[in-house]
Amino acid sequence: MKESVLFERVILGSTEEAKDIILQLVNLSAYFCESRIVKNINLAIEKNKVTSIMGPSGCGKTTLIRCINRMHEMSPGGTTKGEILLYGKDINNMNAIEVRKKIGMVFQRPNPFPTMTIYENVIAGFILNGIRLPKNIMDEIVEDSLSKAALWDEVKHNLGKRGIYLSGGQQQRLCIARALAMKPDVLLLDEPTSALDPKATAKIEELIVQLKESVTILIVTHNIAQAARVSDNTAFLYLGELVEYEPTKKLFTIPRDKRTEEYLTGKYG
Amino acid sequence: MNNEVIIDKIFKGSLRAVGLVLLGIPLLLLGVMFFYSLPSIKAFGFRFIVGQTWDPVKGMYGGLPFLVGTLLTSLIALVISFPFSFSTALLLSEYLEGGILANMLKSAIELLAGIPSVIYGFWGLIVLVPLLRKLEMTMGIPPYGVSIFGASIILSIMIIPYASTMSREVMRLVPGDIKEAAYSLGGTHWEVIKRVVIPTSRSGIFAGILLALGRALGETMAVTMIIGNKNQLTFNVFEPGNTMASVIANEFTEASDTLYLSSLIELGLLLFVVTAIINFLGRKIIERYEIKGDDGALLNE
């Protein structure tokens, strides 16, 4: 019965219909040493939707999603409290390595492996885990992942080139392909376009919307317009607290909380 | 012209002058050494490099034994020291972040670089040579004690700090975001080191090895005290030998005639050239493995 109680508790706003929930954060707090960066967050992430986590700099957005693939605990002094349930199972009780294979991540700055070719970068997850696959299967994974990341047509004749020779936007899509190659259930995007120009940003945003068919996406952004453009649901975080979590349209048109309204109208950010 | 522009010009000019002086020093060094080795170059020509006999009494000077001695001691020292320098570098850059052990280890390694080489020589004579003699006796070979192998061991300890510090620094410089990317794909610490940290820093690791090799090639005092100073061509590392640097140090004061002195200086020239060649080759290898930075898109979007 625990599940249904949680369900009631974590769905904020309207609960008129049962939703397909893949990930639930229950009373999640994150710390750096003594200071609490993320405070008691309850959040239910819908499957095959794009959920954006929005908020001003320093509000704990990045720390929050770094908890979800257990990267936060690798930072010096990083600890968490509370539960993160993936399909109802707490990831904190799972092997961190396995969690990271199921929950992929793309970072603020494109970070392809500099010593690897484009091809190797895509299958880097397999290389890193020492998984050897037949050549034809690897070829398939590479083509499939690059196609999903909308990069295949641009690089298919240059798979042997180093990944760092691509442009910033291409590098970021390569990083997306690299994460997708592991067939994750959830993809975490940590301000994936903050280091990119507007054209490359538009391309990534377009890609995010396409990708939700195959993977659940959680995107951190401090760009209000981006949250509005790509996401189905939006959570607004302020000073480590979850202020509001609603379908994006609703949050942007009739914000319930005054702080949300102020943020949307540019009072702080 | 206003004052600031003049000051700027003077500053730039003096920097340039310092640069030119530094460029001139090795050239001058090379020129002087070449000039003083002329008698020996004229007398022996190429035979100086391939000649095996070094006999001041007969006036025969062949440098091959010392060339071989130098390369042999340095390479063996490199092979012995690499596991130590590499693992301490890895330990300090990846596993120990601060803490007493890390600081102590770092200081110990830096201390190794600061010990005067004559102390290493003493230690070698008092501790290492008797040990080697015992080892040689149990192996049933002539127990010289002083030998190429002994010199290599001393050298290997002396060069650890150079390779270790350099590798440690390049490993620490591997960008954190690349390592994070590897962790986010489910890599374990060891896998991240093997697949990301080492490949990314390999050119720097190699540069450290090269620095250590340069140090080993030219090391004089400690080697002179332990190698046995026998002017013979040998590939048996348990026999005494000599290196270019140590023969110069040993015989310079007793070089009575021009040809003898000139031959010793030519050995110095040879050491200079060998070091330069190895440095040049090393630089080529480093360039080949170097990770070029992000210099824009080669493929257009």
Side-chain angles (χ1 to χ4, degrees):
Chain A
M1 275 302 96
K2 197 182 164 204
E3 292 281 299
S4 66
V5 173
L6 288 178
F7 195 76
E8 288 295 322
R9 200 165 59 189
V10 295
I11 298 280
L12 299 173
S14 64
T15 46
E16 70 275 13
E17 55 184 292
K19 286 168 182 165
D20 196 1
I21 301 301
I22 183 166
L23 194 69
Q24 285 179 320
L25 313 186
V26 185
N27 289 329
L28 183 72
S29 294
Y31 302 79
F32 275 113
C33 297
E34 294 300 300
S35 60
R36 195 157 72 139
I37 307 297
V38 170
K39 298 166 187 166
N40 248 0
I41 291 205
N42 291 291
L43 200 62
I45 309 296
E46 282 184 84
K47 197 170 183 228
N48 291 91
K49 291 278 166 69
V50 177
T51 303
S52 59
I53 297 174
M54 175 179 86
S57 310
C59 70
K61 326 179 276 284
T62 296
T63 307
L64 174 65
I65 68 160
R66 285 170 63 90
C67 293
I68 297 174
N69 65 346
R70 294 188 54 183
M71 294 290 285
H72 176 63
E73 68 197 55
M74 298 187 58
S75 317
T79 49
T80 60
K81 252 187 211 156
E83 292 176 330
I84 299 168
L85 308 171
L86 178 67
Y87 290 117
K89 269 168 67 186
D90 191 350
I91 64 157
N92 289 314
N93 299 330
M94 289 154 62
N95 181 341
I97 305 294
E98 295 305 314
V99 171
R100 293 183 195 134
K101 286 181 198 165
K102 289 193 174 104
I103 303 178
M105 187 164 193
V106 175
F107 297 81
Q108 277 188 31
R109 286 176 52 84
N111 53 1
F113 297 118
T115 51
M116 296 188 189
T117 62
I118 293 172
Y119 187 98
E120 288 166 338
N121 259 292
V122 178
I123 53 162
F126 298 94
I127 295 176
L128 273 163
N129 290 295
I131 300 169
R132 283 170 192 276
L133 295 171
K135 178 91 171 74
N136 59 329
I137 293 182
M138 283 201 297
D139 288 348
E140 231 169 78
I141 293 172
V142 169
E143 179 171 353
D144 184 53
S145 310
L146 284 172
S147 306
K148 273 188 190 155
L151 190 58
W152 175 250
D153 289 328
E154 291 161 50
V155 300
K156 62 183 170 192
H157 301 301
N158 292 299
L159 293 174
K161 277 224 169 96
R162 291 261 182 88
I164 44 172
Y165 288 129
L166 298 170
S167 73
Q170 287 173 321
Q171 285 188 21
Q172 195 60 304
R173 278 179 281 145
L174 179 59
C175 294
I176 293 174
R178 178 175 71 187
L180 290 175
M182 300 302 284
K183 301 238 177 318
D185 296 316
V186 179
L187 188 60
L188 308 172
L189 306 173
D190 182 10
E191 302 196 26
T193 62
S194 62
L196 302 180
D197 62 66
K199 200 177 146 204
T201 299
K203 216 157 190 173
I204 301 264
E205 286 181 359
E206 197 181 309
L207 175 63
I208 291 169
V209 177
Q210 287 165 13
L211 277 177
K212 68 178 177 185
E213 277 175 30
S214 51
V215 61
T216 305
I217 291 175
L218 205 58
I219 177 173
V220 160
T221 180
H222 61 234
N223 180 335
I224 300 169
Q226 182 168 65
R229 281 193 297 267
V230 301
S231 60
D232 303 292
N233 297 313
T234 298
F236 174 58
L237 228 60
Y238 185 63
L239 298 177
E241 284 173 50
L242 181 64
V243 174
E244 201 164 341
Y245 178 41
E246 295 284 355
T248 302
K249 258 191 200 138
K250 195 172 165 198
L251 185 130
F252 274 81
T253 46
I254 31 169
R256 282 187 301 123
D257 196 287
K258 199 162 169 285
R259 287 168 294 179
T260 316
E261 195 184 328
E262 281 174 353
Y263 179 69
L264 291 176
T265 52
K267 292 261 168 56
Y268 43 73
Chain B
M1 246 187 336
N2 69 31
N3 248 350
E4 277 169 33
V5 176
I6 295 170
I7 290 172
D8 205 36
K9 281 215 162 148
I10 292 173
F11 188 63
K12 192 174 153 193
S14 35
L15 285 183
R16 196 178 284 243
V18 173
L20 284 175
V21 168
L22 281 183
L23 193 67
I25 289 173
L27 288 176
L28 204 64
L29 214 61
L30 202 63
V32 169
M33 285 212 295
F34 184 76
F35 178 75
Y36 282 105
S37 4
L38 273 177
S40 150
I41 292 172
K42 272 183 197 146
F44 305 110
F46 193 63
R47 273 181 301 142
F48 187 82
I49 300 172
V50 292
Q52 299 182 17
T53 324
W54 181 271
D55 191 343
V57 180
K58 287 185 193 147
M60 280 287 295
Y61 299 100
L64 190 63
F66 314 118
L67 185 63
V68 170
T70 298
L71 293 177
L72 210 54
T73 46
S74 300
L75 291 177
I76 296 172
L78 214 55
V79 171
I80 299 174
S81 75
F82 182 72
F84 294 98
S85 56
F86 185 67
S87 38
T88 49
L90 209 51
L91 182 69
L92 284 172
S93 63
E94 281 294 317
Y95 287 93
L96 299 177
E97 286 168 22
I100 297 171
L101 181 60
N103 288 332
M104 275 168 53
L105 189 56
K106 255 186 238 171
S107 316
I109 291 171
E110 276 157 26
L111 192 66
L112 282 183
I115 297 174
S117 65
V118 67
I119 311 276
Y120 279 103
F122 262 130
W123 181 80
L125 275 181
I126 295 166
V127 179
L128 189 67
V129 168
L131 275 177
L132 275 174
R133 255 187 215 131
K134 269 186 201 151
L135 175 75
E136 283 163 346
M137 278 198 269
T138 53
M139 285 165 70
I141 53 175
Y144 291 108
V146 288
S147 59
I148 293 176
F149 188 59
S152 305
I153 292 177
I154 288 291
L155 271 180
S156 72
I157 301 170
M158 295 176 77
I159 63 178
I160 283 175
Y162 299 90
S164 177
T165 308
M166 183 102 178
S167 323
R168 185 185 82 211
E169 285 311 309
V170 292
M171 285 183 202
R172 278 162 52 101
L173 285 178
V174 172
D177 60 346
I178 295 176
K179 284 196 254 179
E180 286 213 314
Y183 283 119
S184 80
L185 290 165
T188 61
H189 198 169
W190 163 239
E191 285 161 345
V192 173
I193 289 172
K194 188 170 75 169
R195 303 286 185 187
V196 177
V197 176
I198 293 174
T200 311
S201 49
R202 66 189 164 191
S203 77
I205 294 171
F206 191 82
I209 293 174
L210 200 68
L211 195 68
L213 182 61
R215 178 88 173 85
L217 287 171
E219 173 49 40
T220 311
M221 199 61 223
V223 173
T224 311
M225 289 168 83
I226 296 161
I227 200 165
N229 311 107
K230 197 165 177 207
N231 302 343
Q232 59 165 2
L233 179 67
T234 177
F235 289 94
N236 182 349
V237 297
F238 290 105
E239 274 183 31
N242 228 340
T243 67
M244 292 189 266
S246 62
V247 75
I248 294 170
N250 244 346
E251 301 188 4
F252 201 74
T253 45
E254 55 195 62
S256 41
D257 57 282
T258 320
L259 192 60
Y260 194 178
L261 192 64
S262 158
S263 297
L264 284 173
I265 294 173
E266 193 180 345
L267 272 185
L269 188 66
L270 192 60
L271 179 58
F272 193 106
V273 171
V274 167
T275 313
I277 290 174
I278 288 179
N279 255 309
F280 176 78
L281 290 179
R283 207 168 287 266
K284 287 281 151 215
I285 296 174
I286 291 170
E287 269 168 29
R288 242 188 95 183
Y289 284 123
E290 207 157 31
I291 313 299
K292 302 270 181 345
D294 182 0
D295 44 9
L298 289 189
L299 311 173
N300 289 318
E301 279 193 67

